[in-house]
Amino acid sequence: MKLTKFAHACVRVEKDGKTLLVDPGSFSEDAAFEKADAILVTHEHQDHLDVDRVAALDVPVYTNAGVAAQLTALGDRVHVVADGQSFEAAGFAVRAYGKDHAVILPEWGVPCENVGFLIDDAVYHPGDSFTRPDRAVHTNLVPISGPWFALPPAVDYARTVKADQLVGIHDGLLSPIGLSMFPRFLNSDERPYLGLAPGESTEIN
């Protein structure tokens, strides 16, 4: 498989001529939408879901009930999935994890549903949460910024999920200075950290 990072939280996974697009949001480049055989959406916030551009792609969408409520115009192209459910999307085996977005402010409570996705037991995208998968992965995508972000739980998440490598995501609010800080916090011999720029790829073995 090949994983390509796009702006902020959007990634594309390719295997055997099939393409799975994850969290194509308002920050995502047009190039992210050039090809997709299926789409996964972790939650309803616009930085993870660009409704108009997703609707323009005639492909199935797998997501939670909160997102599905925003995509009713797509009819049966939308498939609702929940924590613990396994399914197939464009030839990829996918398992859903979690149900809650991370808390932004205590008085707001949980802002919406959020479901993480484990793709082919290899790539894990948590959306806006630090929900952990129940197994080791090859590539763990680690959120590194955002209104809900805090460094200690991010480091704890990165250390406790068994993975061969880490890739930073959810980084659209960071300057080059901010981006340069994260290898110090997340890189290790056991789990090397890749600070991929938008458009850069890594192979998933």
Side-chain angles (χ1 to χ4, degrees), residues 3-198:
L3 180 142
T4 302
K5 185 187 183 304
F6 291 96
H8 198 51
C10 180
V11 300
R12 186 165 68 199
V13 182
E14 299 171 79
K15 179 190 73 171
D16 298 335
K18 296 293 186 179
T19 300
L20 194 58
L21 186 61
V22 188
D23 276 8
S26 58
F27 300 160
S28 303
E29 305 89 337
D30 288 340
F33 293 83
E34 288 178 353
K35 57 179 180 177
D37 295 292
I39 298 173
L40 307 180
V41 179
T42 63
H43 67 285
E44 64 195 60
H45 290 158
Q46 67 176 11
D47 55 327
H48 296 253
L49 170 65
D50 186 316
V51 172
D52 291 338
R53 289 194 287 176
V54 165
L57 296 176
D58 188 16
V59 299
V61 179
Y62 299 85
T63 188
N64 60 45
V67 174
Q70 296 195 24
L71 299 176
T72 55
L74 304 190
D76 60 7
R77 282 171 48 194
V78 180
H79 305 269
V80 175
V81 298
D83 178 41
Q85 184 175 348
S86 297
F87 58 96
E88 184 177 302
F92 294 84
V94 185
R95 185 173 177 84
Y97 288 87
K99 61 183 181 66
D100 292 336
H101 188 288
V103 172
I104 299 171
L105 291 174
E107 61 266 33
W108 292 358
V110 175
C112 64
E113 295 179 73
N114 181 95
V115 61
F117 295 109
L118 177 59
I119 302 166
D120 273 359
D121 277 343
V123 176
Y124 182 64
H125 193 309
D128 279 10
S129 79
F130 292 124
T131 300
R132 296 159 172 78
D134 60 353
R135 63 201 69 186
V137 304
H138 180 277
T139 301
N140 186 23
L141 306 180
V142 182
I144 60 172
S145 74
W148 56 274
F149 175 83
L151 182 61
V155 172
D156 183 60
Y157 164 81
R159 289 174 176 173
T160 56
V161 175
K162 293 183 179 180
D164 292 338
Q165 64 180 15
L166 309 176
V167 172
I169 60 166
H170 212 268
D171 54 5
L173 301 182
L174 292 179
S175 69
I177 294 172
L179 290 168
S180 71
M181 294 170 58
F182 279 88
R184 174 187 176 190
F185 300 126
L186 297 176
N187 193 54
S188 70
D189 292 338
E190 295 82 11
R191 294 174 303 277
Y193 173 77
L194 303 182
L196 298 180

